């Protein structure tokens, strides 16, 4: 995940402490984890300390989440929640607050049927079939049996309801387990066990180490004497690194069980911002502020802390984790959207058929109006006993010409209703489920390093994977591993890059304590010259290097944890932190002899070249997006006070005293440019000493800022900037974030597949360009259009100049001579482009470029770039990222993919699919995407075809029965046609069929093109299918009709012949298109035909049903078998001929390669090459 560079002025409160042993760690969001190195912005939440006898450490932090802007204003009473500490009755009597019971289930026993039906009938097709079933209940419109007409819809609703019920039962079971968990609650001065669901807001709870927090609660006390608590939020956001929270000193010293705590908390109302909290607490007639570091959230676990005590402020459904439990916005498959268009066409066709039948019926009734008294279906007179005294002349079965035409129309809709295939919806869901199963089971998409499988989180999107035209990718953690490694440093203007070529020492630096050896868990390549410098006896020569590594070891929020090994005399120091950059820097400092040993609430212990030294942490200012740096104030062993600062070069050089460091600054800038060109992440380090008056002034200013009731964060930021000035530069560092395995090859294959890869990163431009070359997004022969503008006018001019340059190129961004275009644009320029009239210029320029690389972009800018393509083209977009600031981009794209990486699970939880490595895009798109699209596109067309064939056979019969809507096919056969006779084969083929093998699809990426060009499902194919359907239905109807026209065969008998013919026809039609046969396919195909014959026999063997014993008599004759074979052959011959000539005269890429697969050995032996059709370039602006 890459972090952006927005200019939002949103921060959270800082931290105050007055104890000689005080420390604070920032509680960084996922987005901020790399910001300590100055490359990106962060979302940081600072800790709050406690006051004691000695003045110590203070701090401020910044943030850029929306929730933090609230820290700049006071909460009004109308917008606030009031909690009376240890008085839940008063709290809940005055305010109607939620209990702590949670419910993630959707239904109850009473609400399941009405609510589930309501949700299912959101599908318009279901309402359509319900109306038809109701109409069939009317005597005037009854075509089928009343129960029979309801059965298909009831079956579909029942299957879906059972699935929903099972899923909801699992949620009920999970809720029950969660609500019955136990927690310690203060009752009458003693902590007693209480079920989670019975906890109330205002109650005081005690949570021990490794236990889970049952509700959102403000910390009152911890086992640490200075109020620090370590928590793990893996259940909340997936991050496994430890974070810190703090109890205020006003409550920390109280003996809660004996003395009790009485007071009032005023805080913001429940909201979804898990990284923000604003409130204050009135206790002992004193008002103290509360911030994000004073609250622990439900689902977090206590680590490395014996116990914590807190008061519940949000419970149950109002906790932040529950408010964030809703999923990502639902997306619809592009293929399903197009399918709805064809369903409208079928509806119009159905309306036309019904209109034709009703109009023709009107003409027929008018022509034979004089004979209607005696015609059975329309007789107007009742011929009952005239001697009956109650006899009256009346109309028996006739409603007048106009009403009769209307009724005939409605009856036609009922008879032809399966023209709209209700079974298609269930078939699609089952096929998608099967496709998802094989994607999840694909070992080629299993990441061995992270032990993560492919996840299919959106079943309705699998076919969209075969139509992607644009891939928008994050860089860090997506293209790279997000495992930082210290590579080189510039110290005092001297470049120390020798470590890049060196091998890491086998054991590395270590220290000995009480007979045990402590060694860093990871080793770093060390520069021999720099090591010699640090061991030099001349202090003046090594002073810069000494201070540089001391700054790396001290200016961070890393927690050192000692880990046991199999050797009792050896222990490893594992540096835990939210920022991979900080971990890399601390490991580097340890390698060079500055080993962070201990971090407590108020001091840190660093082993400096074998000498253990204690540094009191007097203050810390966390990274924020405005300052782009962080600083720590430490009290050194020599009684001096120093402020160490590290941050981005763009912000650090403005804070450095240039008059004293001019030569060093110039050399450092050159080294920074060199490091960035190598793709390294850079950081500038500086320091200065603080005098006692300066420290006291800072202390005073901070007190005022932190106790301010409004604009607190802005004031705290000002205090930080005042101390971070007149700095002496120490040097700069270069950290490598290595490319993931197979990234260059994957990008090249995607490009060959006609997919454009755009990289949207928060890195600085030089770093992004270097990574672009490394992963082959950029090539040396590309012409680069670079846009770095600071105003709308300059942006407009740059875009126009770039467009003029691109006009000499073809639409694909490639000159006739072969040179490609690459557009490189920064986030500052996008501020003036997005959501303005310049968007169109950017779109026109970007779509003419082969590559687009956006640097220093904010999360919403990432989403804005994706939106530019979505709004102006019909091309499918895919976004892939690994962190929280990629969520907006992932949700904006047609398909969103989350990387299960180093930065938690926010991206995964918001995605449609999740996987462990970027390179898995190749099998996902080129193989599974291709298969899924081809299968689903064919399956939809086939379902339209098989239902239309059946309907048209009924239609031809209606033409010869005086438009009375009587049907020759038994109503039970009509019901079973979609459920049993034809459903299984298409589902099996939709899951198992493969037009090409995996190796072939990976070898020839160009074969991905048919999905982009919509070759497997489009309007042309739809209308050709419908034309073929008309012929096949006519052949199926007229061959038996003509054969038996002058016979005495009854309607039920010929109806049996037609239903068997249609089932054989549609299955052989499907068999003609199956490419990869398996025993399952054979069993489904031929087993369905056999099942149809068995069902027809059973139905005809039931006394009382129409057509009793008809099939037994019919099958004895040779005419029956002749008609069965002749009708199928006549129906399929034109299709077979057209298919053969089409493949001979105009074969597609897929057909050519399929033949190459079949005769692969011969082709390889002859050295033949397969030439692909050119990839179509993206369309220009099209309305969506």
């Amino acid at each position: 995940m890459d972090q952006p560079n927005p200019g939002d002025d949103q921060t959270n409160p800082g931290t105050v402490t007055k104890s000689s042993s005080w420390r604070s760690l920032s509680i960084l969001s996922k987005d901020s984890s790399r910001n300590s190195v100055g490359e990106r912005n962060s979302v940081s939440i600072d800790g709050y300390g406690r006051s004691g006898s000695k003045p110590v450490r203070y701090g401020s932090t910044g943030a850029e989440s929306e929730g933090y802007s609230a820290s700049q204003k006071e909460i009004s009473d109308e917008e606030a929640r009031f909690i009376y500490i240890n008085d839940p009755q008063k709290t809940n009597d005055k305010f109607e607050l939620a209990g702590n019971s949670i419910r993630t289930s959707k239904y109850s026993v009473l609400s399941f049927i009405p609510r589930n039906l309501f949700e299912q009938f959101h599908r318009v097709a279901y309402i359509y079939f319900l109306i038809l079933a109701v109409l069939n209940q009317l005597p005037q419109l009854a075509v089928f049996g009343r129960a029979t007409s309801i059965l298909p819809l009831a079956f579909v609703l029942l299957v879906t309801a059972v699935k929903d019920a099972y899923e909801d039962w699992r949620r009920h079971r999970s809720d029950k387990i969660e609500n019955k968990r136990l927690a310690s609650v203060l009752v009458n001065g003693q902590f007693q066990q209480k079920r989670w669901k019975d906890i109330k807001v205002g109650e005081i709870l005690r949570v021990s180490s490794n236990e889970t927090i049952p509700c959102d609660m403000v910390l009152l006390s911890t086992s640490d004497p200075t109020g620090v608590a370590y928590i793990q939020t893996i259940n909340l956001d997936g991050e496994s690194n430890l974070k810190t929270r703090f109890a205020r000193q006003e409550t920390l010293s109280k003996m809660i069980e004996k003395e009790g705590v009485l007071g009032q908390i005023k805080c913001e109302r429940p909201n979804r911002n898990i990284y923000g909290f604003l409130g204050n607490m009135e206790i002992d007639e004193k008002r103290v502020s509360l911030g994000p570091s004073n609250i622990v959230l439900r689902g977090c676990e206590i680590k490395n802390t014996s116990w914590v005590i807190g008061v519940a402020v949000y419970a149950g459904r109002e906790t932040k984790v529950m408010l964030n439990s809703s999923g990502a916005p639902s997306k619809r498959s592009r293929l399903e959207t197009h399918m709805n268009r064809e369903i409208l066409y079928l509806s119009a066709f159905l309306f036309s058929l019904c209109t034709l039948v009703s109009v023709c019926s009107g003409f027929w009734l008018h022509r034979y109006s004089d004979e209607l008294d005696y015609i059975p279906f329309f007789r107007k007179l009742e011929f009952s006993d005239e001697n009956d005294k109650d006899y009256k002349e009346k109309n028996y079965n006739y409603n007048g010409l106009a009403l009769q035409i209307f009724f005939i129309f409605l009856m036609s809709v009922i008879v032809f209703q399966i023209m709209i295939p209700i079974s298609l919806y269930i078939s699609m869901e089952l096929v998608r489920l099967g496709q998802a199963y094989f994607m999840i089971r694909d070992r080629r998409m299993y990441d061995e390093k992270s032990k993560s499988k492919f996840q299919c989180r959106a079943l309705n999107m699998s076919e969209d994977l075969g139509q992607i035209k644009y891939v928008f990718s994050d860089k860090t953690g997506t293209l790279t591993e997000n495992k930082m490694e210290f590579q080189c440093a510039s110290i005092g203007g001297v470049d120390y890059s020798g470590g890049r070529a060196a091998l890491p020492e086998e054991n590395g630096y270590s220290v000995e304590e009480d007979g045990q050896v402590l060694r860093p868990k990871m080793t770093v390549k060390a520069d021999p010259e720099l090591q010699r410098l640090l061991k030099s006896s001349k202090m003046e020569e090594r002073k810069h290097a000494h201070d540089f590594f001391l700054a790396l070891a001290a200016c961070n929020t890393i927690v050192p944890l000692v880990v046991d090994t199999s050797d009792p005399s050896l222990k490893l120091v594992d540096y835990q932190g939210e920022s991979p950059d900080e971990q890399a820097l601390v490991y580097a400092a340890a390698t060079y002899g500055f080993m962070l040993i201990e971090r407590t609430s108020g001091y840190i212990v660093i082993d400096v070249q074998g000498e253990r030294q204690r540094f009191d942490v007097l203050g810390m200012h966390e990274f924020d997006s405005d300052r782009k740096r962080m600083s720590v104030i430490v009290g050194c062993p020599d009684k001096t006070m120093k402020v160490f600062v590290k941050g981005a070069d763009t912000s650090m050089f403005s804070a450095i005293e240039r008059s004293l460091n001019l030569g060093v600054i110039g050399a450092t800038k050159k080294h920074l440019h060199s490091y960035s060109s190598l793709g390294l992440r850079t950081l500038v380090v500086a320091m200065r000493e603080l005098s006692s008056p300066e420290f006291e002034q800072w202390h005073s200013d901070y007190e005022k800022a932190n106790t301010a009731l409004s604009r607190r964060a802005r004031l705290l930021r000002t205090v930080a900037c005042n101390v971070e000035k007149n700095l002496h530069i120490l040097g700069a560092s270069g950290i490598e974030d290595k490319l993931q395995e197979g990234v260059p090859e994957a990008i090249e294959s995607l490009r060959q597949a006609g997919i454009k890869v755009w990289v949207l990163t928060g890195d600085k431009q030089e770093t992004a360009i270097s990574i672009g070359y490394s992963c082959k997004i950029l090539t040396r022969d590309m012409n680069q259009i670079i846009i770095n503008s600071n105003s709308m006018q300059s942006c407009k001019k740059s875009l126009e100049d770039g467009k003029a340059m691109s006009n000499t190129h073809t639409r694909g961004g490639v000159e006739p001579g072969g040179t490609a275009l690459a557009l490189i644009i920064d986030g500052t320029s996008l501020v003036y482009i997005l959501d303005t009239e310049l968007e169109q210029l950017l779109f026109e320029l970007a779509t003419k470029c082969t590559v687009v690389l956006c640097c220093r972009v904010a999360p919403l800018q990432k989403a804005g770039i994706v939106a530019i393509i979505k709004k102006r083209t019909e091309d499918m977009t895919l976004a892939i990222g690994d962190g929280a600031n990629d969520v907006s981009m992932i949700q904006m794209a047609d398909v969103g993919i989350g990387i299960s990486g180093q930065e938690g699970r926010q991206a995964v939880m918001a995605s449609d699919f999740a996987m462990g490595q970027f390179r898995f895009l190749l099998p996902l798109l080129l193989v599974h995407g291709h298969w899924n699209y081809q299968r689903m596109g064919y399956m939809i067309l086939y379902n339209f075809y098989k239902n239309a064939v059946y309907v048209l056979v009924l239609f031809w019969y209606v033409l010869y029965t005086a438009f009375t809507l009587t049907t020759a096919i038994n109503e039970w056969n009509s019901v079973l046609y979609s459920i049993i006779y034809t459903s299984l084969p298409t589902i099996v083929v939709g899951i198992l069929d493969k037009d090409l093998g995996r190796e072939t699809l990976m070898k020839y990426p160009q074969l991905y093109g048919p999905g982009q060009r919509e070759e497997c499902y489009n309007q042309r194919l739809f209308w050709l299918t419908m034309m073929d359907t008309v012929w096949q239905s006519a052949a199926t109807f007229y061959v038996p009709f003509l054969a038996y026209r002058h016979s005495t065969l009854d309607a039920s008998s010929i109806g049996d012949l037609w239903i068997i013919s249609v089932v054989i026809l549609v299955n052989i039609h499907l068999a003609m298109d199956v490419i990869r046969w398996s025993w399952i396919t054979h069993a489904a195909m031929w087993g369905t035909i056999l099942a149809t014959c068995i069902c027809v026999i059973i139905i005809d063997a039931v006394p009382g049903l129409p057509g009793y014993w008809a099939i037994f008599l019919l099958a004895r004759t040779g005419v029956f078998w002749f008609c069965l074979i002749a009708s199928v052959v006549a129906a399929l011959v034109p299709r077979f001929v057209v298919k053969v000539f089409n493949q001979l005269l105009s074969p597609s890429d897929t057909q050519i390669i399929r033949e190459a697969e079949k005769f692969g050995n011969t082709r390889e032996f002859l050295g033949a090459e397969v030439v692909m059709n050119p990839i179509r370039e993206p369309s220009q602006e099209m309305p969506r």
Side-chain angles (χ1 to χ4, degrees), residues 59-77:
S60 68
T61 69
E64 32 195 281
S65 169
E66 290 182 8
Y68 301 137
S69 60
S71 63
Q72 302 178 11
K73 64 180 181 180
E74 185 178 8
I75 310 174
S76 65
D77 290 347

Side-chain angles (χ1 to χ4, degrees), residues 172-210:
H172 272 287
R173 184 178 60 177
S174 176
D175 293 345
K176 188 175 181 179
I177 294 173
E178 186 82 356
N179 290 327
K180 286 187 175 181
R181 297 176 70 174
L182 299 177
S184 296
V185 180
L186 186 64
V187 180
N188 299 324
Q190 291 184 340
F191 283 104
Q192 301 178 4
Q193 293 293 303
K194 198 174 186 179
R195 289 183 176 181
W196 278 23
K197 67 178 183 178
D198 298 325
I199 295 172
K200 298 180 180 179
V201 174
E203 288 186 321
I204 294 177
L205 295 84
R206 176 182 173 131
V207 183
S208 300
S209 180
N210 297 321

Side-chain angles (χ1 to χ4, degrees), residues 2-4 40 472-475 757-769 777-778 785 787-788 822-830 833-834 842 846 851-858 861-866 868 889:
D2 291 312
Q3 197 52 7
R40 306 174 165 69
F472 299 89
S473 175
D474 173 43
K475 184 186 77 65
V757 181
W758 292 15
V759 177
L760 315 179
T761 175
D763 271 327
K764 50 194 301 187
Q765 186 170 291
E766 294 85 354
T767 302
I769 291 176
I777 292 178
L778 297 175
I785 301 174
I787 300 179
N788 297 323
L823 173 63
I824 301 169
I825 187 169
D826 65 357
T828 305
S829 302
L830 291 174
I833 295 175
L834 297 179
L842 176 61
V851 175
V852 176
L853 185 59
C854 301
C855 316
R856 294 291 196 185
V857 289
Q861 288 178 325
K862 292 183 177 183
I865 293 295
V866 177
I868 287 178
M889 172 180 72

Side-chain angles (χ1 to χ4, degrees), residues 287-454:
R287 185 178 183 184
V288 294
S289 60
L290 299 173
S293 61
N294 302 123
I295 186 173
V296 287
L297 305 183
R298 178 182 181 128
C300 299
E301 291 185 7
I302 302 299
K303 297 290 184 181
N304 292 3
T305 307
S306 298
W307 51 263
V308 300
I309 295 176
V311 57
V313 291
Y314 306 126
R317 65 177 182 273
E318 294 180 341
T319 56
K320 292 180 181 291
V321 66
M322 292 303 296
L323 291 174
N324 279 279
S325 62
S326 59
S330 60
K331 301 176 182 178
R332 294 185 63 190
S333 161
R334 176 70 59 84
L335 207 58
E336 189 171 348
T337 302
H338 289 173
M339 181 190 77
N340 290 336
R341 175 189 62 200
E342 271 66 67
I343 286 181
L344 290 177
Y345 293 153
L346 288 176
S347 300
F349 184 53
L350 173 63
F351 180 83
S352 301
L353 290 182
C354 297
T355 302
L356 178 62
V357 170
S358 59
V359 170
C360 291
S361 173
F363 283 113
W364 190 92
L365 290 173
H366 179 73
R367 178 178 179 181
Y368 296 99
S369 59
D370 297 336
E371 304 175 34
L372 293 182
D373 290 349
Y374 309 102
I375 295 179
F377 288 102
F378 298 103
R379 66 178 186 263
K380 298 166 63 176
L381 298 178
E382 180 179 356
F383 297 92
S384 56
D385 188 359
E386 296 186 8
N387 298 321
D388 189 346
K389 61 180 180 180
D390 296 324
Y391 170 77
K392 293 182 180 177
E393 184 177 316
K394 62 181 179 181
N395 289 342
Y396 174 73
N397 195 27
Y398 187 71
N399 301 283
L401 183 61
L403 275 179
Q404 202 65 40
I405 292 175
F406 177 68
F407 287 152
I408 288 292
F409 177 84
L410 294 181
M411 293 169 66
S412 302
V413 175
I414 296 173
V415 171
F416 302 148
Q417 60 179 293
I418 68 167
M419 178 69 78
I420 312 298
I422 188 173
S423 61
L424 176 58
Y425 291 101
I426 285 187
S427 298
M428 290 178 67
E429 295 300 323
L430 293 175
V431 167
R432 286 166 172 164
L433 187 63
Q435 293 172 350
Y437 171 80
F438 286 108
M439 288 192 289
I440 293 170
R441 299 271 296 179
D442 190 345
R443 297 292 300 176
R444 295 171 180 82
M445 294 194 293
Y446 176 75
D447 185 22
E448 292 287 350
K449 292 182 180 179
S450 62
K451 305 298 180 184
S452 59
K453 295 181 179 180
F454 178 82

Side-chain angles (χ1 to χ4, degrees), residues 932-951:
N932 294 346
Y933 168 73
Q934 180 265 333
R935 294 162 175 167
M936 189 63 73
Y938 179 82
M939 192 195 78
I940 294 173
L941 288 174
Y942 175 78
N943 272 270
F944 290 156
Y945 150 78
K946 71 181 182 66
N947 283 34
V949 165
Y950 180 82
V951 168

Side-chain angles (χ1 to χ4, degrees), residues 791 866 885 1027 1033:
S791 68
V866 177
N885 68 344
M1027 291 169 60
S1033 66

